[in-house]
Amino acid sequence: MSGSLLPLARVHARSRARCRRQVLTAVTVASLLGVGLAAAPPASASPGNGPTAIVSMGDSYISGEAGRWRGNSLDNSGSRNGTDRAWTGTTYDPTLVYGDTAVNGCDRSDSAEVNSATGTGVQAVVNLACSGATTANVFRSVAGGQPYKGETPQADRLASVAGSYDVKAVTLSIGGNDLGFGAIIQKCAEDYILWYSYCYDDQQTVVDSKIDAVMADVGKSIDEIRTVMSAAGYGSGSYRIILQSYPSPIPRGTENRYSQSGWSRVSTGGCPFWNKDSDWARDSLVPQIASRLRQVATDKGVEFLDLSDMLQGREVCAKASSLVTSTQPPSATSSEWARWIDSNETQGPVQESMHPNYYGQLAQGRCLTLAYTATPGSQHTCHNTPGTGASGMYLTAMP
């Protein structure tokens, strides 16, 4: 599915009689979205005065969920062939990657997009996003906003940030959890593992029934950001808002290195989806969401960063990428850039599944840097260059 596969619901998959018993603890899409907040300096600031900053808001695709992982490995012990950045040498400590947000599950990683956006020239970055967040967790409290995971609504927190920094840009990733990607992932995985049926037809109907209302709330999220910034003294031209779409964490059926027959997509690859469902997610669902988000950006007069193709060839199970092994260490040029669905939950929490991992987040950070340094007001798609790391990311202008 697209990067919008935010939270993955738990999938308890039991294999058919002819195959060994499998349990797939799927991902919670809501948890696929997450981020963190940098401490604000004590002194107050204002537009044009104080340390410059970029702020990220929204869900797990921008918060930094899955930043713990450098590729995927079948080794469940120790450092997992070097993929697990939470390995201390004797145990696992997720706070090494997510800081204090490992406790409440917002999972704002040290490699989150805004943290990886080097070269922008700003003096600070602030991550307000939280894994699993919906638009209601972005709105101000007075506008119906809801606290989430022990944190006040993100727009309320933005008000404090806007008074402590000279905010130059706010980048926003939101809407995936409102659409219910967790349930979509769960349904597609169950249909592959349990029922030998497809999910794309009925799930497309679900998305179509929700998307108008979700996009209206994405638009309201932008309005909320503007209201907060205006109240803090910012003029419309003194900062930028960049709305972004989601990348697809799984490849097209023909680009999957595992056959859809048998159980290798479940037990080895961590991508339990039929080719038809994979094609639907990659070529219909992700583009549909990106198109609708772009329209919101256009209607609201903000910038748009399309990440639909960002993981092309680097997705979970993609032929152009490979698993990490004892003889093939983690690599930004050959390893997968997204976290797989961890069968049996043997490597960390399932909420990390189907998100850009450490390498993917470095790439997203480069995309943000390129967008920020591009002409203000523009719309771009971000792509990767095969065989390179984040340095190979590049933008193309959207027609």
Side-chain angles (χ1 to χ4, degrees), residues 105-182:
C106 278
D107 285 359
R108 301 180 181 108
S109 71
D110 55 0
S111 59
E113 180 179 315
V114 71
N115 293 334
S116 297
T118 59
T120 61
V122 298
Q123 297 166 291
V125 297
V126 180
N127 190 353
L128 299 178
C130 183
S131 184
T134 64
T135 52
N137 306 130
V138 173
F139 305 158
R140 292 169 300 146
S141 296
V142 296
Q146 299 296 317
Y148 186 61
K149 295 186 176 179
E151 298 182 350
T152 55
Q154 293 178 31
D156 290 339
R157 295 163 66 207
L158 175 63
S160 176
V161 174
S164 300
Y165 295 93
D166 176 12
V167 176
K168 294 301 184 183
V170 177
T171 182
L172 174 67
S173 170
I174 201 69
N177 289 320
D178 297 70
L179 283 171
F181 283 111

Side-chain angles (χ1 to χ4, degrees), residues 243-267:
L243 178 65
Q244 62 188 53
S245 67
Y246 299 96
S248 175
I250 59 174
R252 298 175 178 88
T254 58
E255 296 169 352
N256 196 309
R257 63 177 177 267
Y258 303 104
S259 169
Q260 65 177 338
S261 63
W263 292 94
S264 57
R265 287 190 181 180
V266 177
S267 59

Side-chain angles (χ1 to χ4, degrees), residues 28 46 55 76 96 115 161 171 181 189 193 208 220 233 235 241 256 263 268 281 287 304 315 353 375 379 381:
T28 52
S46 61
V55 181
N76 292 326
L96 294 177
N115 293 334
V161 174
T171 182
F181 283 111
I193 299 169
D208 290 343
K220 179 180 176 179
I241 297 177
N256 196 309
W263 292 94
T268 305
F304 180 63
E315 308 99 332
S353 303
T375 303
Q379 298 185 340
T381 297

